[in-house]
Amino acid sequence: MLAFFASFVLETPLVQQIMRWDMAILRESPWYQEILAEGEKRGLQQGLQQGMQRQLIRLLERRFGEVPQELAARLEGETVERLENLMDSAIAVSSLAEFQQTYSLPK
């Protein structure tokens, strides 16, 4: 635990030297594995979300031309589930204005 807290104020190589700390041993600990799994889960979710945002913007651009920057920026904060619904809307509507109206409706 001391090494963990020391790493907040000291450089990692110095902490490793002081504690004679081997990262291979640390990587095998259940705590490290739990942190790693959580990071991977968040990374996958973020990657999926960004990919869907790009696909939605691409779909809108192909159907209706340039997508306003404000709309693209708003899409960045949406969940994967909401982006899926918006993708369906983007396919069903007949204009960008209609999409924006649909998007403005309560979630």
Side-chain angles (χ1 to χ4, degrees), residues 3 13-23 25:
L14 179 59
V15 174
Q16 288 174 327
Q17 182 182 3
I18 293 168
M19 301 300 293
R20 301 184 196 284
W21 191 21
D22 184 359
M23 285 300 292
I25 294 170

Side-chain angles (χ1 to χ4, degrees), residues 16-104:
Q16 288 174 327
Q17 182 182 3
I18 293 168
M19 301 300 293
R20 301 184 196 284
W21 191 21
D22 184 359
M23 285 300 292
I25 294 170
L26 180 62
R27 285 186 187 104
E28 293 176 17
S29 76
W31 188 35
Y32 179 88
Q33 293 300 319
E34 187 176 327
I35 292 168
L36 181 62
E38 180 65 27
E40 288 174 343
K41 181 180 172 185
R42 286 183 185 181
L44 287 171
Q45 186 70 16
Q46 185 178 18
L48 177 60
Q49 184 178 14
Q50 289 174 349
M52 290 189 70
Q53 291 163 0
R54 288 186 190 123
Q55 288 297 78
L56 179 55
I57 291 169
R58 185 170 181 236
L59 172 64
L60 291 169
E61 287 174 340
R62 286 195 174 229
R63 291 202 66 212
F64 309 118
E66 188 174 341
V67 172
Q69 183 58 38
E70 313 85 56
L71 177 58
R74 282 183 58 205
L75 293 173
E76 289 180 18
E78 296 296 349
T79 64
V80 170
E81 295 78 20
R82 178 73 169 143
L83 289 166
E84 288 174 342
N85 292 335
L86 290 170
M87 190 77 74
D88 292 341
S89 294
I91 293 168
V93 298
S94 58
S95 70
L96 187 58
E98 187 179 349
F99 175 81
Q100 287 178 302
Q101 279 183 326
T102 302
Y103 183 34
S104 297

